[in-house]
């Protein structure tokens, strides 16, 4: 019985450690990021508390539409720890996303965060793909006031399917969610992924795989 309880207790400790090790709760009121520090920590070093001001906890400009004059017709205005130092160690961030008509946020992942999106104007087609082996596409058309969640690490996308411009606000469960754009990762890496690897992975011949990076780079 004692051994059984020890196993259960050990599993609980491991589970708690896994949860807290991802993005632990702060051990002080705040840890405003100090970008000038050379200290290497998981996150950013703390600014001396006596130097902290109200502007370290404030960001202005989220009401201003982003410039969507690009090949994807979309723009992201981030409010991450780089823009709002007071977010450091708090495990949360947000972003404004603007979409031109038919504008797209291309398939991507956030390796360190779940994202919850609220549509504030327009109509968006959103979706994510579940992991192997099912690879199930889950999609929904959202209208003003609708909310959708993208689970951490899963490939997802947004597209404006309304008659005019659209914009949304996203909250993320990390101060630095990270973003992995699938097209950029496959075809825009430095150095490039070898063509024979892409050819086999995408089930095309070497000639076709060699054309894909050039086509991608000319479109972005």
């Amino acid at each position: 019985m004692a051994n059984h309880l020890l196993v259960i207790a050990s599993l609980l400790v491991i589970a708690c450690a896994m949860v807290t090790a991802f993005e632990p709760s702060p051990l002080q009121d705040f840890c405003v990021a100090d970008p000038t520090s050379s200290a290497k920590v998981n996150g950013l070093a703390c600014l001396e508390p006596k130097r902290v001001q109200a502007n370290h906890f404030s960001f202005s400009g989220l009401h201003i539409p982003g410039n969507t004059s690009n090949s994807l017709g979309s723009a992201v205005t981030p409010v991450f720890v780089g823009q709002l130092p007071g977010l450091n160690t708090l495990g949360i961030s947000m972003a404004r996303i603007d979409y031109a008509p038919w504008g797209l946020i291309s398939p991507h992942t956030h390796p360190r965060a779940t994202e919850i999106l609220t549509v504030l104007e327009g109509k968006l087609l959103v979706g994510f793909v579940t992991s192997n082996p099912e690879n199930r596409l889950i999609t929904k058309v959202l209208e003003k006031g609708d909310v959708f969640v993208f689970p951490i690490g899963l490939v997802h996308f947004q597209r404006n399917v309304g008659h005019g411009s659209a914009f949304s606000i996203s909250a993320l469960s990390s101060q630095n969610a990270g973003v992995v754009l699938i097209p950029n990762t496959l075809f825009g890496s430095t150095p490039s992924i070898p063509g024979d690897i892409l050819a086999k992975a995408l089930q095309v011949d070497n000639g076709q795989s060699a054309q894909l990076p050039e086509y991608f780079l000319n479109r972005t």
Side-chain angles (χ1 to χ4, degrees):
M1 180 65 177
N3 288 339
H4 183 65
L5 291 174
L6 180 60
V7 170
I8 294 175
S10 299
L11 290 174
L12 287 173
V13 169
I14 292 171
C16 290
M18 289 175 66
V19 171
T20 57
F22 184 68
E23 197 151 328
S25 298
L27 300 178
Q28 60 280 319
D29 288 342
F30 52 78
C31 173
V32 171
D34 181 3
T36 65
S37 174
S38 60
K40 302 297 182 183
V41 296
N42 186 21
L44 295 171
C46 302
L47 188 68
E48 169 61 40
K50 292 180 179 179
R51 295 171 55 196
V52 170
Q53 304 293 328
N55 64 306
H56 290 123
F57 301 93
S58 175
F59 175 88
S60 298
L62 211 59
H63 64 293
I64 301 172
N67 182 5
T68 58
S69 299
N70 54 63
S71 60
L72 293 177
S74 62
V76 178
T77 303
V79 187
F80 300 160
V81 68
Q83 293 77 36
L84 186 56
L87 289 177
N88 195 35
T89 75
L90 297 184
I92 193 170
S93 59
M94 65 186 302
R96 171 182 174 136
I97 309 172
D98 289 276
Y99 314 79
W102 293 102
L104 173 71
I105 295 293
S106 64
H108 64 285
T109 71
H110 299 297
R112 296 182 289 275
T114 291
E115 175 182 356
I116 185 166
L117 176 148
T118 303
V119 179
L120 296 182
E121 199 65 54
K123 182 186 293 187
L124 300 179
L125 170 67
V126 302
F128 65 86
V129 180
T130 63
S131 56
N132 285 334
E134 188 177 24
N135 292 322
R136 179 185 171 201
L137 175 61
I138 297 177
T139 64
K140 185 175 177 61
V141 173
L142 306 179
E143 301 197 29
K144 184 175 181 179
D146 291 344
V147 177
F148 196 83
V149 64
F150 303 112
I152 184 171
L154 296 186
V155 175
H156 58 282
F157 64 88
Q158 299 104 262
R159 185 171 194 178
N160 182 4
V161 293
H163 297 294
S165 298
F167 83 94
S168 61
I169 293 288
S170 286
L172 301 109
S173 60
S174 172
Q175 68 183 50
N176 184 20
V179 60
V180 179
L181 294 168
I182 305 306
N184 300 57
T185 302
L186 289 177
F187 307 122
S189 67
T190 304
S192 300
I193 298 175
D196 60 324
I197 293 178
L198 286 175
K200 191 163 187 176
L202 299 174
Q203 296 293 289
V204 297
D205 61 43
N206 282 336
Q208 290 173 311
S209 69
Q211 295 173 6
L212 289 174
E214 181 180 354
Y215 175 77
F216 167 73
L217 291 173
N218 288 335
R219 297 278 293 179
T220 56

